[in-house]
Amino acid sequence: MTTPPSAPPPAATPPSATPPSSTVPPSSTAPRPAPWVRTRLRAAPLGTVLGAALAFVAVLLAAALPRAQDRGADQALRSFLEHSGSTKTSLQVTAPAPETGQSAQALDATLEKLLAATGSTFRVDPDGTVHGTRTTKRQPLLNPELSRPSGFPPAMDLLHVRQAESHVKLAEGRWPSSTATAPPQGATADIAPLEVVLSQKAAATVGARVGSVLKSAPRVDGTPSVEVVGLFSVLDESDDFWVDNLGCLARACEHYNGENLSWDVDALVGTGDLDRMSTWSRTAEDFWRLPVDVGGLRADRLDATSKEIASYVAGPTAAALTRETGRARLRTTSWLPELFEQARARTQAAAPLAAIGPAGVGGVAFVVLCLAGALAADRRDAELRLLLARGGSRAAIVGRLLGEGAVTVLPAAAAATALAVLLLPTPRLAPALLSAAAVALLALLAFPVRAAVLLSPARPAGRWRRPVAELLVLVATAAAVLEVRRRGVASPGGDPDPLLIAAPMLLALCGGLLLARLQPVVTGRLARAAGRRSGLVGFLGLARAARGSATTGTRGRGRTGPSVLPMVALLLAITTGGFGGAVLNSVDSSRLDVARLTVGGDAAISAYGKSPLPQGLTKAAGELPGVRTSVPLWIDHDSSVLGTPQRSGQVTVVVAEPAAYAELSRVLGCGSFDPALLATSGTQSADAPVPALFSAGLAGQAAQGGTYTVLPGEGGQLRARVVGVIDCTPAHPARAAATVVLPAGAASALMGGADHPNRWLGLGSVDGDRLRALVRSKLPAASATPAPAPAPAPIPGSGSAAGPAPSDEVYPVSTSAEAVTALGADPLQRSAERLFWASVAGAAGFALLAVLLTLMQTVPDRAALLARLRTMGLRRRQGVALILAETLPQTLAATLGGALVAAAAVALLGPAIDLSTLVGARVPNGVRLTAGPVLTQALGLAALVAAAVFAEAATSGRRQITTELRAGDQR
């Protein structure tokens, strides 16, 4: 073995001969490697921008939806409490007045201590507080010159209100003295008159004036009396200051003892006579009204606020206030605990319906983010495998991918969260931050997790995995549907169950999995059928749709079938929109039904009592534009029926033209009947019984075909024969009401006044303002004008009037359109509707994005195919048709499947949903299945997706085929 000669050693160089620059290591002059993240982001700027935009939109929706829900819940709570009135939203504190030593300073000091105990979860409006002292029993005024309408003397209470002078204006005389009233000459101080001021309206009503000395009932210890030293006028009687415990200060109040009328008046006492107020009625009571600032209450802190209010009313806070104020019998009452319970029940009833939309858009967004990560990993599969082959570890590769995502996703997520916080201000921040963080984490991890899966070692194919997963989804869906049908979307008095809210989404997921198995089979058969025909476009497009998109480097396994995720996204979006649209459509129809039953039709004109409507008014109203059915009525609520085992009192008699009234009953779904039952012959004798319809409760005491005597309230009688039974009637829709319906003509001739209608009902699109103008034009002369009618009855369960009819209308007019508006004025309803439509728009956008992402992933493969076919004579239009034939089958299948799933969701879940809160009145449970809302959502989204697909097909055909022909096939 020979050994190669060793190289000669390098010549030694003296250190002094080496230049200074040679001391720098050679490696320092070599170029540094470019940073990985910056290089990758610069290599694909469009993908980087699109990824950041997707993360921005997803996080923006995730942060905005909780804040929108909080804002809607807060507005609904505050509106509900404001609608309840300041009386019910105040803390009413009372205590017996001290027997001696009463002073204004003591009242003010107690108020400060009462206010100091508030402010944790609720605060009291200090400008709205009202406090003072009052006598506890009105005393009769025995002066003979005072007004006595029925021979009964007026009665008076005395009050001292600390804030009164800022709400009134002295009109005559002076204010009571701030020092004790001096007794008259030769009299003792105990019987000296107390100085008071009266309102001008109260003084004019009872006949008092400045200088009047009003005496009460004599007592052994002296006859108490008051001297009117001044008169005041109220600045604003609608001010909350004058409600509740201020009695009859602003004006005299009517007091009825049976049918006898007397007056109640209250007077203001000055600080000088505070210590002597108890001499008027022997006892006096201090009071403090503390109005809670409902504008500062929050729905998410309602439980804590309720506990603090309860403690203030009867709890530790109440005990502490008793010690601090030194008033052993201090007592606090409030309606707020009951109102909070009602508000909580309303919110819990509406929460599941309001959460279905956000759940849908959340499901679609989840699918889209997963799809985006999967497509990005598939696109870079070859690059990642090359890195792995050259020595890179899976952990290092995934770490670099996380770095790429952090640079794009995290800034976009932070900007989206900040924008949502700025656009939707609300005190609670945690839900928005948690939701935004979860979505940002999903957007960040979707690509690296998918890449880790692709780079993992190959495992034996498990044919059982997909069936097991599908079986688990099916079991969860069946459990959710059964639970919804058993107990609704929320348990009574409890929070919504997420599984029950997700029931429509689970149904959509089952539909997507089923379609994923059926669509390739059906499309493949269509491709084979198209292959038997002449022409290549249809067969090739359908065949590619059945086989799915080519995978780019996914271990060379070729085509694996259509992607499930875009179809699931479309199904989720269509199901969310269809189901929510059916819910809102049912709400609108139920609201219209309630409004029509309340009004009696689409429009109504009423007269006060039994006075008739003006001559010609009903005929003119029936001729107004939009009126389809005109029904003049005569109604008597004071009739009775003889001949039954128990004489029926307070029976409502309705006299109407049978055909028109039957049409009204049919449209309103209230007591439908055949008008032929009430038909009478022209040759009928005067004493022959008139056919009549009896209500169900009244018919239980009568025999079918029996004859009974109807006694109108104003006298007379009429013999009626029972020809049918009705459960309700539009003129008096209460189900338990005792009602008799008689035909006009025969009944009008036998009942006095029945030939002049006192009510008119109409069907059709009637303009309320035009109807009121018509009523005003028909008003009789002033001398013949009847007394004003009472305000319309409130809509059941809504707490609102049937319409905005002015209170001074002689003949009140109401319309169903105005009643519907009143029913839908609740912010809780409007918030749920806005949130739903925003969720539908978001779900549709994400579903469209899923389709576009899938299309963009297959653009290179499709462009290469079209380039080859162009060399064989394929025309441009045929290329577009080929792309549509490949991509639209999945869209059409998802549209049909989504519509069917939405209809199935309504049919399975609809009967268990209570719509009363959204309607504004108590209605039977159930969402009605109608084709309109479901088809509108399905076809609308399908049209949007088809338009996007067509636009992409047209642009890709023009833009990329030429490039492929020039560059050749590089695959």
Side-chain angles (χ1 to χ4, degrees), residues 709-737:
T709 302
V710 178
L711 303 178
E714 293 185 346
Q717 64 180 18
L718 176 145
R719 297 177 64 236
R721 175 170 52 88
V722 182
V723 297
V725 179
I726 53 176
D727 55 350
C728 73
T729 188
H732 197 49
R735 299 280 174 177

Side-chain angles (χ1 to χ4, degrees), residues 50 171 292 381 518 679 720 729:
L50 291 179
V292 173
D381 180 70
L518 293 180
T729 188

Side-chain angles (χ1 to χ4, degrees), residues 76-386:
L77 171 65
R78 294 162 187 171
S79 175
F80 173 72
L81 295 177
E82 289 172 357
H83 186 75
S84 300
S86 61
T87 300
K88 291 189 174 182
T89 57
S90 298
L91 297 170
Q92 309 286 353
V93 186
T94 58
E99 296 182 359
T100 58
Q102 175 69 295
S103 65
Q105 292 74 20
L107 294 172
D108 296 343
T110 303
L111 175 64
E112 293 179 0
K113 294 176 181 177
L114 293 175
L115 293 177
T118 65
S120 177
T121 59
F122 75 95
R123 61 180 295 272
V124 172
D125 182 8
D127 297 331
T129 58
V130 180
H131 69 290
T133 187
R134 63 190 170 205
T135 56
T136 56
K137 185 178 180 180
R138 284 192 171 88
Q139 298 299 310
L141 303 178
L142 302 182
N143 299 58
E145 69 273 12
L146 299 181
S147 173
R148 303 188 179 197
S150 300
F152 288 82
M156 176 179 284
D157 253 347
L158 302 182
L159 293 92
H160 172 75
V161 185
R162 297 291 291 150
Q163 301 87 353
E165 292 188 12
S166 61
H167 293 82
V168 300
K169 177 182 179 182
L170 187 65
E172 186 178 350
R174 62 177 177 83
W175 291 108
S177 175
S178 59
T179 58
T181 305
Q185 187 69 26
T188 63
D190 290 338
I191 60 173
L194 288 85
E195 293 185 351
V196 301
V197 289
L198 281 174
S199 73
Q200 285 181 312
K201 293 181 179 180
T205 301
V206 300
R209 61 181 184 276
V210 175
S212 297
V213 177
L214 308 178
K215 296 184 178 181
S216 181
R219 294 202 300 259
V220 175
D221 55 351
T223 302
S225 60
V226 296
E227 180 184 359
V228 181
V229 298
L231 302 178
F232 64 84
S233 60
V234 176
L235 297 178
D236 182 11
E237 290 190 30
S238 63
D239 192 349
D240 289 341
F241 177 84
W242 297 103
V243 302
D244 192 38
N245 51 6
L246 293 192
C248 305
L249 274 178
R251 61 174 67 211
C253 303
E254 294 180 347
H255 179 81
Y256 283 94
N257 185 8
E259 296 184 355
N260 299 315
L261 170 65
S262 62
W263 299 110
D264 287 343
V265 293
D266 294 338
L268 285 173
V269 177
T271 56
D273 288 330
L274 269 178
D275 208 24
R276 298 177 55 234
M277 283 183 61
S278 59
T279 61
W280 180 254
S281 64
R282 296 188 182 275
T283 57
E285 179 184 65
D286 295 341
F287 66 90
W288 298 265
R289 187 174 80 208
L290 311 179
V292 173
D293 181 15
V294 299
L297 298 180
R298 291 166 48 182
D300 62 291
R301 302 182 65 183
L302 191 58
D303 291 338
T305 305
S306 181
K307 291 179 181 178
E308 188 169 347
I309 292 288
S311 176
Y312 201 102
V313 172
T317 305
L321 287 174
T322 300
R323 294 192 303 268
E324 294 173 3
T325 59
R327 295 175 179 263
R329 296 168 62 187
L330 189 74
R331 181 170 177 265
T332 304
T333 59
S334 178
W335 287 91
L336 281 173
E338 290 81 1
L339 292 178
F340 287 163
E341 287 298 324
Q342 296 176 23
R344 185 181 294 107
R346 282 161 40 85
T347 303
Q348 289 173 345
L353 300 178
I356 289 176
V361 71
V364 180
F366 176 81
V367 171
V368 171
L369 290 175
C370 292
L371 178 62
L375 294 178
D378 289 345
R379 186 180 68 250
R380 295 177 58 181
D381 180 70
E383 169 196 342
L384 299 178
R385 291 186 181 283
L386 180 61

Side-chain angles (χ1 to χ4, degrees), residues 559-576:
R559 300 177 185 273
T560 59
S563 176
V564 178
L565 292 180
M567 185 176 296
V568 171
L570 282 173
L571 274 168
L572 287 173
I574 294 174
T575 303
T576 300

